[in-house]
Amino acid sequence: MDADLRSIASARRCAETAYEAYGRFLGTDPAHVDAIVEAMAAAVEPEAKRLGQLAHEETGYGNPEHKRVKDLMNARRTVDWLRGVTTLGMLWRDDATKIAAFGEPMGLVAALIPVTNPTSTVIFKVLSAVKSGNAIVCAPHPRAVRCGNEVVRIMSGAAERAGAPKGLIQCLDQVTVQGTAELMRHRRTSVIMATGGPGMVRAAYSSGKPTLAVGAGNVPCYVHRSMAKDLREVAEQIVASKSFDNGTACVSEQSVIADPEIARDLRQELKLAGCYFCTSAEADRLAGTIFLEGRRMNPDRVGQPPERLAELAGFSVPPRTKCIVSEESQIGWQRPLSAEKLNPVLAFYEANDGDHAIELSHAVARFGGWGHSAVIHSHAPEVVARYSTVPTGRVLVNVPAIHGGAGYATDLEPSFMLGTGTWSGSITSDNVTALHLINIKRVAWANRPWRDIHEEFGS
């Protein structure tokens, strides 16, 4: 049997057995569901370091220590948030309008897992799906099958020991594009959670199933002149976010746009924080290393450390370099480094003035990042208000992009799935959570005389 047939068979087997388990899970007391979620999170915590290392070894992407942090953020922060959320049973009631709302599961969730975050995304999606009373089958990227299955093994074992039916949480052990497509189209699949590249997102939406999908992020970061006294902190935030896990998060900064009054000092602070500003010739070679013909990122360059990227591009960077920066003046494929880069590489723009800075920020977001995220560092509320017209689903103020967008340094919902809205063809611009995985049933009592319709609208 060839690889595609094995993957299709795996998808069918997982979908059918997970759906059977869902039938047994349906109607479970919400308190028991919460106990299962807590048990899964507790099982992940002591394994986070090993899982981060396994993800790094299998994919070749990112930083194992940072992957450990991502895993723990879900095992702790996501569960902390879920603990205070009601997903099943009565959600709310309004005695004045005589309406009550009840949460009910959607059924079987098909969860597509990106190679850039192959363990943390599994943790997030499994916790969210089970909290909302669903079954889930994960479809990892083909180069992250082993680590994806290991996370599911840990979480499903903990869930079953806590009383969940066997088979409720599963992962494809044979993965090809055709097998993942079979899972998405399968008659038992109720909803798809899709995280990945544009092609995968298109495939999810074309499957014919309800889909929560997220798009690419080309995140602009505007540093306003009002931050003149805080540029060291700003630079530290930018570098901490962009270098985290070697830039594999699509929510991290992609382009820094500086007002002219503070551009020189910001460059210096970025250098002190670990940035190497490359020459124009080095930038051209770096672009040729990161991108392939056809305007595609080279998958072998994703999540690589700065020294490795520089070596491949034929130059060197100082020891302890955290990010490589290219000074740019144009936005578009004529300057590839103005696009999304899933590695520790930043574009840097010195704006002519504040209006130009906001114009550049809009252009960056529209160039492959519509609907995702934008960042501004400013002490001027009126500037933040103007900047918030950028076409993105979240605008993050005075925080590192990854820490703010994922809901750690802000009170946005903790999520590893950031919706991009209709700007980029997504159904939601929210931080996706367990609340997106329930059907909400309204129970409505009569609240006005029905016969009045004839008096009000009659001839």
Side-chain angles (χ1 to χ4, degrees):
M1 187 183 296
D2 69 16
D4 286 337
L5 291 178
R6 287 197 300 271
S7 185
I8 290 169
S10 177
R12 291 173 177 171
R13 180 175 62 253
C14 286
E16 290 291 351
T17 55
Y19 186 79
E20 290 174 8
Y22 165 70
R24 299 193 297 276
F25 192 52
L26 193 62
T28 299
D29 183 81
H32 189 190
V33 172
D34 288 346
I36 293 168
V37 170
E38 298 280 351
M40 291 191 295
V44 164
E45 280 209 41
E47 300 284 1
K49 182 176 181 178
R50 182 176 68 86
L51 292 172
Q53 186 65 42
L54 182 61
H56 171 69
E57 290 174 356
E58 186 175 8
T59 66
Y61 291 170
N63 178 311
E65 169 59 19
H66 292 174
K67 290 188 180 298
R68 180 190 71 86
V69 172
K70 287 180 176 179
D71 291 347
L72 284 178
M73 180 177 172
N74 282 301
R76 293 179 184 171
R77 182 56 64 92
T78 298
V79 170
D80 285 347
W81 186 84
L82 289 173
R83 200 173 287 129
V85 172
T86 300
T87 55
L88 301 170
M90 182 180 286
L91 306 179
W92 51 264
R93 59 180 286 176
D94 187 328
D95 291 336
T97 61
K98 296 185 180 179
I99 296 176
F102 296 81
E104 296 191 355
M106 287 186 169
L108 172 60
V109 178
L112 278 58
I113 309 299
V115 67
T116 47
N117 299 293
T119 53
S120 54
T121 308
V122 169
I123 297 167
F124 169 74
K125 292 186 177 181
V126 168
L127 291 172
S128 300
V130 175
K131 169 70 178 185
S132 47
N134 298 293
I136 183 170
V137 176
C138 296
H141 189 279
R143 64 189 288 176
V145 173
R146 187 160 59 97
C147 62
N149 271 272
E150 180 62 8
V151 182
V152 168
R153 184 190 68 80
I154 293 167
M155 298 185 78
S156 62
E160 289 164 20
R161 289 190 295 275
K166 184 176 179 59
L168 189 73
I169 305 156
Q170 298 194 49
C171 186
L172 303 188
D173 57 4
Q174 305 281 335
V175 182
T176 66
V177 171
Q178 287 75 11
T180 300
E182 177 67 19
L183 175 65
M184 291 191 290
R185 295 191 301 260
H186 197 276
R187 64 183 183 130
R188 299 301 192 189
T189 295
S190 302
V191 63
I192 299 167
M193 298 179 80
T195 310
M200 183 278 298
V201 171
R202 286 193 297 271
Y205 274 119
S206 64
S207 68
K209 297 297 178 108
T211 297
L212 294 162
V214 298
N218 194 17
V219 178
C221 174
Y222 173 31
V223 184
H224 182 250
R225 60 183 178 273
S226 63
M227 304 300 290
K229 295 181 179 180
D230 301 295
L231 292 179
R232 180 164 298 178
E233 171 67 11
V234 171
E236 186 177 344
Q237 289 187 27
I238 292 169
V239 173
S241 177
K242 184 55 177 170
S243 64
F244 190 79
D245 203 22
N246 285 338
T248 52
C250 57
V251 70
S252 63
E253 295 86 345
Q254 301 293 333
S255 294
V256 176
I257 297 136
D259 274 343
E261 296 89 341
I262 51 90
R264 183 181 66 178
D265 290 343
L266 180 58
R267 287 187 189 91
Q268 182 61 24
E269 293 296 345
L270 286 169
K271 291 175 183 178
L272 291 173
C275 288
Y276 172 77
F277 279 70
C278 57
T279 67
S280 59
E282 289 169 345
D284 289 342
R285 295 201 299 273
L286 185 63
T289 297
I290 292 174
F291 293 95
L292 300 169
E293 291 185 11
R295 303 174 176 180
R296 295 184 299 115
M297 268 185 281
N298 185 336
D300 293 330
R301 306 295 183 258
V302 169
Q304 300 305 302
E307 60 272 17
R308 175 60 177 159
L309 293 171
E311 177 188 3
L312 291 166
F315 63 95
S316 60
V317 296
R320 294 182 293 279
T321 294
K322 295 181 178 179
C323 293
I324 301 174
V325 183
S326 171
E327 298 241 18
E328 299 287 340
S329 59
Q330 297 179 321
I331 298 165
W333 281 113
Q334 72 276 15
R335 298 300 303 168
L337 295 182
S338 65
E340 181 187 39
K341 306 162 289 293
L342 295 179
N343 46 46
V345 176
L346 280 165
F348 185 97
Y349 297 86
E350 180 174 341
N352 298 331
D353 53 32
D355 289 342
H356 186 222
I358 292 178
E359 179 185 322
L360 287 171
S361 299
H362 278 250
V364 169
R366 289 195 300 269
F367 181 49
W370 275 61
H372 204 292
S373 304
V375 184
I376 181 171
H377 294 274
S378 175
H379 290 315
E382 69 279 5
V383 175
V384 174
R386 285 189 60 211
Y387 186 77
S388 296
T389 60
V390 69
T392 60
R394 53 202 59 78
V395 175
L396 309 166
V397 184
N398 297 338
V399 292
I402 188 170
H403 302 73
Y408 182 81
T410 66
D411 272 336
L412 293 176
E413 299 88 345
S415 179
F416 268 47
M417 192 173 175
L418 309 185
T420 53
T422 56
W423 291 288
S424 64
S426 175
I427 194 61
T428 183
S429 56
D430 293 343
N431 279 22
V432 175
T433 71
L435 292 173
H436 292 83
L437 298 175
I438 56 173
N439 290 310
I440 300 177
K441 177 185 293 185
R442 274 82 172 176
V443 178
W445 285 260
N447 204 25
R448 61 184 64 89
W450 65 268
R451 289 185 176 87
D452 287 0
I453 193 171
H454 301 289
E455 194 171 304
E456 183 173 352
F457 302 113
S459 56

